[in-house]
Amino acid sequence: MQEIEQLNSKFGITNTLSFEQDESGFIMVLIDNGISTATVSTYGGQILSFQPKNDEHDLLYLSEHAVYEDGQAIRGGTPVCWPWFGDDVSGLGLPSHGFVRNQQWQVVQSQVLTDGSTSLTLMLTDTDESRAVWPYQFELYIEIVIGKKLTLSLTTKNTGSKAFTFTQALHTYFNISDIEQVMVSGLSSKYYLDKLDRFDLKMQVGDIAVNQEVDRIYQAAPYMVHLKDSGFKRTVAISSTGGHTTVVWNPWSETVSSIKDLDDDSYRQFICIETVNAADDNVVLAANEQHTLSAVYSVEAD
Ligand code: TA6
């Protein structure tokens, strides 16, 4: 793990970006650039909080019971699922959603951009441990730009000599006023695989209002979807590039009670709208090729 003093001297930005170690020993990057505030965990390469100055509410949901321990994913914010999305299909009992959300990422870059926003890049590379479960050489970068908008760009480089195929997700947990006050629009007439019904293919009719468990993989998803929250009186525009899949997940009351790091009522406080490459929308990278999956979240008051 990189040392706090070194991180602060090499990547700290006076009055804007600093590194702190919390009680768990995890390193948090604290950003306040006058436009927005944010907290990024180097474990998982994950944003845990993002709040524009003119908004009363955080954009992201972070569970009060999130566990900050090696080997566990932090429940909330923007977990990175890579190099597979969903359950491990190898039969080797590997973790769901890949292994990088359980890794300590390295900080490689921080800077102030011309519009005053702050850019931070974290990276991971293959190790003996990663090659034991996924036998490829790679560099994985996440660039996080904290401005009026929140921008995430996840870049995969194939640094080995053999091609590989992967799936991935920016598995974002949005903080909402109440699940029954939100509406997801932009996916009407799109087909989705319904994970709760043996991955049956179904068509979305109209906007999505959630009043039961939802776990859907929308295919050929549009560039932009919207999350309207009438309780928080705001709409989040979610635009994606590099993926053609959007996943919408809310566990509702029964499933949430089986998830240890979520409160029984917490399903009311978040919805995951994920920018994804999954199922047939996988990515094949030949040696030396790279691919970027990006999501931009922009909050507008209603
Ligand atoms: O993206 C939706 C999903 O795959 C759901 O099926 C649900 O299991 C969720 O992610 C959370 O997965 P996790 O492994 O983080 O508990």
Side-chain angles (χ1 to χ4, degrees), residues 73 75 85-86 96-97 101 171 173 195 215 247 249 259 274:
R75 177 76 63 189
F85 171 79
S96 84
H97 291 321
R101 60 182 185 158
H171 193 304
Y173 288 71
K195 188 169 171 192
D215 196 348
V247 169
W249 177 58
I259 303 178
E274 309 164 32

Side-chain angles (χ1 to χ4, degrees), residues 25 31 61 80 105 147 162 181 183 188 214 244 265 270 273 287:
I31 298 162
Y61 171 82
V80 176
W105 294 51
K162 13 175 214 184
Q181 301 268 335
M183 188 78 91
S188 186
V214 166
H244 303 289
D265 286 340
F270 74 85
I273 303 176

Side-chain angles (χ1 to χ4, degrees), residues 18 31 52 108 133 175 179 195-196 238 241 285:
S18 60
I31 298 162
V108 291
V133 296
N175 177 35
I179 191 66
K195 188 169 171 192
L196 303 174
I238 302 162
T241 53
L285 281 187

Side-chain angles (χ1 to χ4, degrees), residues 46-237:
Q46 192 166 337
I47 305 153
L48 303 183
S49 161
F50 170 80
Q51 190 164 349
K53 292 277 176 179
N54 60 359
D55 200 321
E56 280 175 53
H57 307 283
D58 208 298
L59 176 69
L60 303 175
Y61 171 82
L62 177 63
S63 173
E64 283 171 27
H65 302 292
V67 177
Y68 300 85
E69 256 175 43
D70 275 333
Q72 292 252 25
I74 302 173
R75 177 76 63 189
T78 62
V80 176
C81 306
W82 190 98
W84 59 86
F85 171 79
D87 294 338
D88 161 47
V89 287
S90 71
L92 299 173
L94 301 175
S96 84
H97 291 321
F99 51 83
V100 303
R101 60 182 185 158
N102 301 340
Q103 297 289 316
Q104 202 51 253
W105 294 51
Q106 299 287 309
V107 180
V108 291
Q109 177 280 134
S110 68
Q111 62 177 308
V112 178
L113 303 180
T114 45
D115 65 354
S117 53
T118 310
S119 161
L120 173 74
T121 305
L122 309 179
M123 75 93 77
L124 263 187
T125 188
D126 55 288
T127 57
D128 289 348
E129 209 187 352
S130 75
R131 286 189 299 276
V133 296
W134 198 70
Y136 301 102
Q137 288 169 266
F138 66 85
E139 286 175 3
L140 181 65
Y141 295 85
I142 187 153
E143 187 192 7
I144 300 161
V145 179
I146 307 296
K148 200 168 160 5
K149 302 173 182 182
L150 172 62
T151 304
L152 305 183
S153 302
L154 182 67
T155 298
T156 303
K157 292 186 183 176
N158 182 346
T159 55
S161 54
K162 13 175 214 184
F164 58 69
T165 302
F166 64 102
T167 54
Q168 58 184 346
L170 297 164
H171 193 304
T172 302
Y173 288 71
F174 290 99
N175 177 35
I176 54 178
S177 61
D178 186 277
I179 191 66
E180 290 181 83
Q181 301 268 335
V182 302
M183 188 78 91
V184 180
S185 62
L187 293 164
S188 186
S189 81
K190 296 293 172 189
Y191 284 89
Y192 63 91
L193 301 169
D194 189 349
K195 188 169 171 192
L196 303 174
D197 192 7
R198 298 164 291 116
F199 292 96
D200 257 16
L201 187 64
K202 299 179 179 172
M203 194 181 82
Q204 177 66 40
V205 180
D207 292 341
I208 307 166
V210 180
N211 49 22
Q212 59 183 337
E213 184 174 2
V214 166
D215 196 348
R216 300 175 181 172
I217 301 170
Y218 287 88
Q219 302 179 308
Y223 162 74
M224 179 85 87
V225 302
H226 288 94
L227 170 63
K228 186 175 170 55
D229 186 332
S230 44
F232 282 169
K233 298 190 170 43
R234 71 182 184 187
T235 298
V236 184

